[in-house]
Amino acid sequence: MTAKTIWLILRKDVLIELRTREVLTSMALFAVLIVVVFAFAFSLDETRAKLVGPGIIWVTILFAGTLGLYRLFDRERDHAAMSGLLLAPAGPLAVYIAKVLGLVIFITVTEIIVLPLMLAFIGVPLPLEGIPLFALALLLGVLGFSLVAVLFGGMLASTRLREVLIPIVVYPVVVPVIIGGVKLTGAAMGDGLPGEADNWLRLMAGFDIIYLALCPWVFTRVMVE
Amino acid sequence: MIEALELSRRFGRQWALRRFSGRFEAGTVSAVVGHNGAGKSTLVGLIAGLLRPTEGALSVLGHDCATGPRPPAVRSGLGVMLHQPYVYPDLSGAENLELVSALYGQPLTSKARHSALHRVGLDKAARRAARTYSRGMLQRLSLARLLVQTDARAWLLDEPATGLDSEGHQLVVELVSELRDSGRAVVMVSHQAALVEALADVSLTLERGRLAS
Amino acid sequence: MKAPQSSLRPVFMPLLLGAALMGVIYFVFAVTPREQQMGEVYKIFYFHVASAMSCLSLFFICAIASIGYLVLRNRKGWGRIATLSDQVAHGLAEIGVLYGAIVLTTGPIWAKPAWGTYWNWEPRLTLLLLTFFLFVGYLVLRAYGQRDEKVKNMASGIAVVGIPAALLTHFAIQLWKGGNHPQVVTGEGGGLADPAMRQGFAMAVGTVALLAIYLVWMRVKTHQMRDEVEMLFLDMSDLEEARR
């Protein structure tokens, strides 16, 4: 029942997205704009690009991801659709998992569109042998961010101050993931000490595992009165 | 089927609903009437499971539902039609109906879907995005759920005739009568006297959160 | 309802705590030796670290109380304890944020002579800053949502999620910085060499913690009083209805 409901909600979100292209367009456009602004703000050259490039990539993921999160739950606010989903037999757990998967997919697709552009704009060379590590970092980081973001996004979607409150509570929690992501991206670009990457991978995997266990527990208890 | 005993719910300094007791039996249409702010929506929220009672007991389909998460049997056995139609504007009417029906574990054959949409008068608009629908059409789409969610043994209807013309009213009367005749319990919240007159076997009046005697 | 309290009690604790605080301040400034490099500014360290320890403990206990609330609120017969843990969690968060503000203001005052900068992304300070933000969000939510059931749930959720994040952040920043920060209290940095310093530090920690407990208790009582007032309004409406 739960698995089927997850699939139904996810398919619905993807279907609506294919039809309107609202979320992906706004996320990708926003991400590109952030990169362009950063490129001017830091007057990037080759040495500086290597220094701040990983940071720019992760800030972009964070902001574009937040935008995607808002859009993903805006959809459930029209016509009180969230109540409809929560009342369905599978309950809040299915809603949570479906929305996490949805956000991971949306951020990943945005990254696939935007990353080549980003690397070109910032001018960071990503060597071919660094790509697997970079991809792994992206996967772990985006999952960690989505686990926390969907919990708070879903919880606070009905409050008046959501645009302010969601970043206030999401960003402090995902700091370890951002630091880890930046460090691993640096390592993928051939920066940092050898062996250091393993520690960061462990940290990010640990984060994901902890929140994979904790967030569904909290979500199911918070969303039902 | 649904039984409330001394059910109360507070919001801050006010009782939105106070000591509401009532039984809603199978094969009966019970109307809950009252002015705005009389506690009708609170009662709907409590029975639906969106709100938790402050005090009192509530049993739905034989399960204690006053506190704690509800078992799936209750969730699929209780059909809820909230005041706001549960509709995604970017999906078509047919897709919306399919989604709801699948969420409740009842895959919809295209024949059943067609006949349900035909019944509520949306067969021509079935393929259009729901955002192009008028309020009355959205309400008709919600009413189609009454036809496809056949597992529901009890129905909770919040203002089922919102935005409908006289033909739509007639449709509501027919659909709800059919639910009653098939032995389902129907709790209908409405302030439309004509609808209550036409349908209700039992009528309860709420005044400032309390049952009027 | 409760019997009226004796008029002595509300004065007793503030007097005691005031005296204890004065004692600690006297001890720290008059008895403990001057630190050689930093001079008098070093004295703020006693209160900075003591507040930080209290602050993080308050947030931590708040998370535990919030777990308690989320677990118990739907159990039959546990309603009273669930309400109490929610009130306690709210009070802990409020005083925790107050203490966090103290730590974050005294930090730079101490950091300037100690490290030469006003701010240093030192693991413990960073984790405190981030948890502080999280609990500011907690209080904003509480303030705007009044005492709605849903708001209680959401606030508890925020507190619960914050704790593993704090630990992971600490770990992450240690990894990031490579671990060359002063360990004054654990002794590696050698800050608390003098026994009088250690005594002063212990006194500061104890007093600041006692003050925190007292303040939390006061806040909890305030929240309980507010709930009681609301209950009285509800009772009143019942009476009015009965008279009709």
Side-chain angles (χ1 to χ4, degrees), chain A residues 151-152 155-156 160-161 165 168-169 172-173 175-176 183 199-200 203 207 211 214 217-218 221-222 224-225, chain C residues 70-71 73 130 133-134 137 140-141 144 149-150 153-154 157-158 160-161 164-165 168-169 171-173 175-176:
Chain A
L151 169 65
F152 287 137
M155 246 166 64
L156 302 171
R160 263 187 306 151
L161 289 171
L165 266 175
I168 290 186
V169 292
V173 174
V175 160
K183 285 288 164 182
N199 283 335
W200 290 111
L203 176 84
F207 184 99
Y211 282 100
L214 186 62
W217 187 85
V218 173
R221 262 156 197 79
V222 167
V224 198
E225 259 209 8
Chain C
L70 287 178
V71 171
R73 71 190 178 90
L130 294 172
F133 280 139
L134 195 71
V140 170
L141 177 67
Y144 278 84
E149 293 280 324
K150 282 221 169 64
N153 293 352
M154 293 178 198
I158 293 176
V160 172
V161 169
L168 286 164
T169 306
F171 185 58
I173 294 170
L175 213 57
W176 180 30

Side-chain angles (χ1 to χ4, degrees), chain A residues 75-88:
Chain A
R75 216 169 260 171
E76 306 298 339
R77 254 203 356 262
D78 297 342
H79 299 287
M82 197 64 178
S83 312
L85 278 186
L86 291 173
L87 286 178

Side-chain angles (χ1 to χ4, degrees), chain A residues 97-121:
Chain A
I97 297 173
K99 290 289 176 185
V100 170
L101 291 176
L103 190 58
V104 169
I105 291 173
F106 285 154
I107 299 180
T108 309
V109 173
T110 310
E111 289 305 320
I112 292 171
I113 300 169
V114 176
L115 267 175
L117 262 174
M118 274 164 84
L119 292 174
F121 277 155

Side-chain angles (χ1 to χ4, degrees), chain B residues 39-190:
Chain B
K40 301 192 302 277
S41 301
T42 308
L43 182 64
V44 169
L46 286 168
I47 296 177
L50 292 169
L51 299 173
R52 201 167 54 127
T54 312
E55 290 169 15
L58 173 69
S59 117
V60 179
L61 304 172
H63 293 268
D64 172 22
C65 287
T67 54
R70 296 183 164 196
V74 174
R75 288 168 166 273
S76 52
L78 176 70
V80 180
M81 215 178 109
L82 294 174
H83 184 50
Q84 287 229 342
Y86 174 37
V87 169
Y88 294 100
D90 292 307
L91 298 179
S92 72
E95 285 165 336
N96 267 300
L97 193 61
E98 268 166 15
L99 176 68
V100 173
S101 156
L103 281 175
Y104 282 84
Q106 295 179 300
L108 199 57
T109 62
S110 66
K111 207 177 141 207
R113 187 194 65 212
H114 187 79
S115 77
L117 287 169
H118 179 74
R119 182 78 196 280
V120 297
L122 285 177
D123 40 359
K124 287 204 185 69
R127 295 271 156 225
R128 260 164 52 197
R131 70 163 71 253
T132 62
Y133 285 18
S134 68
R135 181 68 178 89
M137 289 165 86
L138 288 175
Q139 194 62 29
R140 283 167 180 268
L141 184 56
S142 291
L143 288 171
R145 289 176 55 191
L146 302 182
L147 293 162
V148 299
Q149 242 174 282
T150 44
D151 274 357
R153 290 190 286 139
W155 273 96
L156 187 58
L157 310 176
D158 193 353
E159 300 288 359
T162 310
L164 292 178
D165 48 21
S166 58
E167 239 173 87
H169 263 262
Q170 195 48 43
L171 178 68
V172 174
V173 173
E174 282 170 23
L175 289 176
V176 174
S177 310
E178 280 166 29
L179 288 178
R180 167 178 47 202
D181 297 343
S182 62
R184 291 177 169 85
V186 179
V187 182
M188 185 177 75
V189 167
S190 180

Side-chain angles (χ1 to χ4, degrees), chain C:
Chain C
M1 290 273 131
K2 285 177 204 153
Q5 295 178 343
S6 77
S7 57
L8 194 69
R9 253 182 70 202
V11 199
F12 176 68
M13 274 306 283
L15 276 180
L16 184 80
L17 279 167
L21 265 180
M22 295 303 260
V24 174
I25 291 172
Y26 173 78
F27 191 87
V28 163
F29 280 92
V31 181
T32 62
R34 243 175 87 99
E35 214 271 344
Q36 286 162 356
Q37 285 157 24
M38 287 172 261
E40 292 302 330
V41 181
Y42 182 74
K43 308 279 191 198
I44 207 167
F45 152 85
Y46 293 96
F47 301 98
H48 170 72
V49 176
S51 311
M53 288 166 87
S54 284
C55 173
L56 289 176
S57 312
L58 291 171
F59 287 152
F60 187 71
I61 305 167
C62 173
I64 308 252
S66 303
I67 294 177
Y69 173 71
L70 287 178
V71 171
L72 296 178
R73 71 190 178 90
N74 275 336
R75 295 261 165 93
K76 277 230 167 83
W78 290 87
R80 226 166 237 278
I81 297 179
T83 311
L84 181 67
S85 26
D86 179 65
Q87 289 160 338
V88 170
H90 191 181
L92 286 162
E94 285 171 318
I95 305 306
V97 167
L98 175 72
Y99 270 53
I102 294 174
V103 178
L104 293 172
T105 5
T106 51
I109 302 176
W110 184 51
K112 183 67 180 164
W115 300 327
T117 48
Y118 283 108
W119 186 261
N120 180 327
W121 294 99
E122 192 266 336
R124 284 159 302 179
L125 202 56
T126 311
L127 101 87
L128 194 130
L129 177 73
L130 294 172
T131 356
F132 176 77
F133 280 139
L134 195 71
F135 278 92
V136 167
Y138 177 106
L139 291 187
V140 170
L141 177 67
R142 288 265 192 183
Y144 278 84
Q146 280 92 38
R147 275 179 296 288
D148 191 43
E149 293 280 324
K150 282 221 169 64
V151 167
K152 288 181 186 171
N153 293 352
M154 293 178 198
S156 314
I158 293 176
V160 172
V161 169
I163 292 310
L167 298 175
L168 286 164
T169 306
H170 187 253
F171 185 58
I173 294 170
Q174 258 179 340
L175 213 57
W176 180 30
K177 289 276 171 179
N180 55 342
H181 47 276
Q183 292 283 356
V184 178
V185 180
T186 52
E188 289 163 39
L192 286 177
D194 194 281
M197 279 182 168
R198 281 199 289 274
Q199 282 167 15
F201 181 66
M203 283 168 67
V205 169
T207 314
V208 167
L210 265 182
L211 180 67
I213 294 169
Y214 177 69
L215 290 173
V216 170
W217 184 52
M218 294 307 283
R219 287 309 295 168
V220 172
K221 277 181 64 172
T222 311
H223 294 312
Q224 284 178 334
M225 237 183 266
R226 254 187 221 159
D227 282 354
E228 260 171 48
V229 169
E230 295 204 334
M231 289 314 282
L232 288 177
F233 271 97
L234 294 171
D235 288 347
M236 211 161 74
S237 76
D238 277 351
L239 284 176
E240 267 171 21
E241 206 60 35
R243 225 190 308 159
R244 258 172 222 276

Side-chain angles (χ1 to χ4, degrees), chain A residues 104-184:
Chain A
V104 169
I105 291 173
F106 285 154
I107 299 180
T108 309
V109 173
T110 310
E111 289 305 320
I112 292 171
I113 300 169
V114 176
L115 267 175
L117 262 174
M118 274 164 84
L119 292 174
F121 277 155
I122 311 172
V124 197
L126 182 66
L128 224 53
E129 65 267 23
I131 289 179
L133 182 61
F134 181 54
L136 189 58
L138 273 184
L139 190 71
L140 290 174
V142 169
L143 178 63
F145 169 77
S146 303
L147 285 168
V148 174
V150 168
L151 169 65
F152 287 137
M155 246 166 64
L156 302 171
S158 57
T159 56
R160 263 187 306 151
L161 289 171
R162 60 184 165 276
E163 279 90 356
V164 190
L165 266 175
I166 291 174
I168 290 186
V169 292
V170 171
Y171 292 174
V173 174
V174 298
V175 160
V177 166
I178 301 300
I179 300 178
V182 170
K183 285 288 164 182
L184 283 174

